[in-house]
Amino acid sequence: MLLFDSAHVEPERLFPTIADVLERITHPLRYDPGAGASPSDFSYTVWSCGSGGTLLSTRGPGVHVSRTQTHRFLRDEGLVTLTLRAPGGARLEQGGELHDLRPGGLLLCDMSRPYDYVSFGTGQTVSYQMTLDSLGLDPVDIATAASRLDDSPLLSMVREHLVELAEYFRAGHPPYRALHQATVDLARSLLLSVLPLELPGSAPGEDADSLWRAVRIYVRRHLREPDLSSATVARALGVGLDQLHRLGEERGSTIEHLVLSGRLHGARTDLAEPSEGLAPRALLVSTATRWGFGSPDGLLDALAAHPQAAAS
């Protein structure tokens, strides 16, 4: 659904309107188009893609967008944005780290935290914003992956997907929910591909709390893999199954509970979205597959057996 098109805004109101739109779809921020910037040089289009997904396509000179600690957080929702700018470059500073956007690269920004973003030269920017919850990752994962995106074998695939997605929406095609899910899944795969295999607290000799934290991180990152189990977690972290079971018992939980509650949370979120004409069975099959359930009936059985299960 089209949310905003700068072509329909009076030139003298363009920059304040853009700032207002950006603030409403993200968090409080400062937007600066630069001294002497002409509204006629800028083009902004924003589409809502459902489930917290937003696509922004812009053309024009470089801009400066920032958020500081002095800005008030309007909501608790975590938001993450992947940004591509061509042919000009960009720079993002966040969490004390400086990220330069090389030609053909991507920038990853946690919009819920302070940041300073500057784009250079005249070019086109495509950004896709999604919720942290939909990615199934936490802010530490985002911060870790942000500096490693250039190393991902999926970089060119994600970049081309964003470009083609913007072209698709500009052509007036509808924002099918499956497109949003595919974009989130591709972004998740991109981030997972650059996160370190060694998890915090998974080294031999670490205390029990650190090891349990590593367990939860591993489960969260691999939640959608159908073969995720106590055995695969134990093998990945280099601990015995008995030790893993004891860790869970001491905390009133199990690996199976972590996996099932996380999958049910994701499945319920997907099923609650408008089906856009999908047959109920097709929606169920898609959701079951996406969240690692063996079959649609397996998902139905889990939903019936755990009506109040929530993500841990």
Side-chain angles (χ1 to χ4, degrees), residues 30-287:
R30 177 181 177 183
Y31 173 81
D32 181 6
S38 171
S40 62
D41 294 332
F42 287 81
S43 171
Y44 272 70
T45 316
V46 184
W47 294 270
S48 171
C49 307
S51 302
T54 307
L55 180 73
L56 300 89
S57 178
T58 74
R59 291 188 180 94
V63 298
H64 183 195
V65 183
S66 61
R67 180 178 189 181
T68 69
Q69 290 283 17
T70 59
H71 284 132
R72 182 170 60 92
F73 285 30
L74 292 183
R75 50 186 172 175
D76 294 329
E77 183 178 41
L79 298 170
V80 178
T81 298
L82 271 175
T83 295
L84 164 70
R85 182 168 176 83
R91 175 173 293 174
L92 171 70
E93 184 174 0
Q94 185 165 56
E97 298 287 334
L98 194 62
H99 308 290
D100 285 310
L101 180 61
R102 67 172 181 79
L106 293 169
L107 283 178
L108 178 68
C109 182
D110 182 346
M111 305 298 287
S112 308
R113 298 170 54 225
Y115 62 85
D116 192 83
Y117 168 84
V118 181
S119 57
F120 309 104
T122 298
Q124 178 178 347
T125 300
V126 178
S127 296
Y128 198 87
Q129 179 178 276
M130 63 214 93
T131 66
L132 195 61
D133 185 59
S134 68
L135 282 169
L137 300 173
D138 68 13
V140 174
D141 292 328
I142 302 303
T144 302
S147 61
R148 305 175 177 220
L149 295 187
D150 286 350
D151 298 328
S152 173
L154 300 177
L155 182 68
S156 62
M157 184 185 301
V158 177
R159 181 184 66 238
E160 291 166 11
H161 175 78
L162 291 178
V163 171
E164 292 174 358
L165 197 61
E167 292 175 353
Y168 173 88
F169 285 126
R170 276 197 294 268
H173 299 304
Y176 292 113
R177 120 192 192 147
L179 279 175
H180 168 65
Q181 291 181 335
T183 304
V184 170
D185 290 346
L186 192 55
R188 175 182 166 85
S189 297
L190 172 75
L191 305 191
L192 289 176
S193 72
V194 296
L195 289 176
L197 296 178
E198 182 68 24
L199 298 175
S202 63
E206 290 283 359
D207 65 84
D209 287 338
S210 296
L211 182 54
W212 187 246
R213 177 170 177 265
V215 167
R216 294 170 65 88
I217 292 173
Y218 186 88
V219 168
R220 183 174 63 247
R221 291 181 182 177
H222 299 268
L223 189 62
R224 299 180 189 179
E225 297 174 11
D227 63 347
L228 181 63
S229 66
S230 294
T232 59
V233 174
R235 185 163 56 250
L237 299 186
V239 299
L241 273 174
D242 289 344
Q243 181 182 1
L244 207 57
H245 291 150
R246 284 196 302 273
L247 278 173
E249 288 175 356
E250 291 168 358
R251 289 155 183 80
S253 185
T254 63
I255 302 300
E256 288 72 19
H257 170 74
L258 293 179
V259 172
L260 181 60
S261 61
R263 287 176 174 171
L264 285 174
H265 174 74
R268 284 197 176 95
T269 300
D270 282 1
L271 291 172
E273 289 295 313
S275 61
E276 295 172 345
L278 279 178
R281 187 66 180 180
L283 178 60
L284 193 63
V285 169
S286 172
T287 303

